[in-house]
Amino acid sequence: MGQARRVTSSLVSIGVAGNLGPELVGRLAPVVEHAGFHALWVNDTPDGDALEALAAAAATTSTLVLATGVLPVDRRPADAIARETRTLGLPEDRLVLGIGAGGLRVGALSAVGSAADELRERLTARVLVGALGPRMRRLAATRADGALLSWLTPDEAAEQRDALHAFAPDTHVALYARTALDPAAVPARDAEAARYAGYAAYAAHFDRLRIDPLDTVVPRGDEAAADDIRAFAASVDELVLRAITPAHGLADYTAFVEAAAQLLAD
């Protein structure tokens, strides 16, 4: 196992969904660590607890950063997150708690800011805030350790990163990019992009920035996957390759991790 995998000066990580379950995530985590990626990010879903999955990953790894992307504070309050983190014995020195507004539309800034404050007071884990709009990004830079961006082109991500760094030089800027490295997974990736474009908040996001959802995925159109990964990674401090695979077994995710590592090594 070598140093955390980088492209230029950026870290590169792997992301998966929480509904894969603790057993599969626990078996995948050492594959991600051995391949040299910086972190394993696990999306919290109603049918998959990201913290439980990361506890399984912690038991099978020693240096891999463990991250949630993101815990929605409308259904997982900060007090509950802190208690579960301690109950599960998650290694806080390796833990990044990504939090977000979830389904909140009224009072989202207040709820997320209060949650970030409480988590930073009670835990030593880093806290990142999932942020689409400028006010939530500013909150991420001022009341948390950084921002988790998503559904952006490399140019737009770089612009948002530069604005955040100008405002708070030490803030960490990570970017989720839905990634299909097996041609058989491209329809699922594109269907996910279309699904997000149908949500009101994300539709407004795409309209505001005048970007096509398919310009935010990897690879984009005819772009070579390796070149695309490098373009996205150069735009932020950490690129999270959110794995989209043909099926959802360990073999599919292992193949994704190995293919990503090979692309970055070439």
Side-chain angles (χ1 to χ4, degrees):
M1 181 176 61
Q3 297 294 316
R5 192 171 291 281
R6 292 176 179 267
V7 174
T8 64
S9 61
S10 301
L11 299 164
V12 183
S13 300
I14 299 293
V16 298
N19 60 11
L20 294 185
E23 181 181 358
L24 193 154
V25 171
R27 294 170 67 191
L28 178 64
V31 177
V32 176
E33 182 174 70
H34 182 74
F37 288 96
H38 171 66
L40 177 61
W41 288 76
V42 178
N43 288 61
D44 194 73
T45 60
D47 57 349
D49 188 321
L51 293 174
E52 288 185 358
L54 290 180
T60 57
T61 59
S62 58
T63 62
L64 186 68
V65 173
L66 309 168
T68 65
V70 295
L71 300 168
V73 300
D74 58 338
R75 64 178 177 83
R76 303 198 70 173
D79 177 69
I81 294 170
R83 282 189 284 105
E84 187 173 359
T85 296
R86 290 281 168 80
T87 299
L88 291 170
L90 283 161
E92 294 181 40
D93 60 328
R94 291 200 276 148
L95 183 63
V96 176
L97 292 171
I99 62 172
L104 290 175
R105 291 295 171 262
V106 177
L109 285 168
S110 176
V112 173
S114 296
D117 292 343
E118 182 173 349
L119 289 170
R120 296 181 87 196
E121 180 179 342
R122 295 181 59 175
L123 302 172
T124 58
R126 288 184 296 150
V127 177
L128 264 61
V129 169
L132 284 181
R135 290 187 297 169
M136 194 66 81
R137 291 197 297 272
R138 176 166 288 204
L139 184 152
T142 56
R143 296 174 68 177
D145 298 295
L148 177 60
L149 311 177
S150 62
W151 299 107
L152 295 174
T153 64
D155 287 346
E156 183 60 39
E159 185 174 325
Q160 293 189 15
R161 174 206 61 197
D162 290 346
L164 283 164
H165 284 175
F167 187 70
D170 293 332
T171 201
H172 184 76
V173 183
L175 172 68
Y176 252 51
R178 269 64 179 183
T179 304
L181 299 180
D182 184 328
V186 169
R189 182 203 65 190
D190 294 354
E192 180 159 337
R195 178 165 59 87
Y196 270 81
Y199 298 146
Y202 288 93
H205 164 80
F206 293 127
D207 286 344
R208 180 173 64 249
L209 299 178
R210 298 182 180 179
I211 57 178
D212 186 321
L214 293 182
D215 288 334
T216 73
V217 302
V218 177
R220 295 168 295 164
D222 295 330
E223 292 287 333
D227 292 341
D228 230 7
I229 290 172
R230 293 178 188 279
F232 276 95
S235 70
V236 286
D237 303 317
E238 179 182 356
L239 172 65
V240 183
L241 300 175
R242 173 61 167 83
I244 308 295
T245 56
H248 301 295
L250 179 63
D252 296 275
Y253 287 97
T254 297
F256 180 95
V257 172
E258 292 174 346
Q262 186 60 53
L263 286 170
L264 293 170
D266 289 343

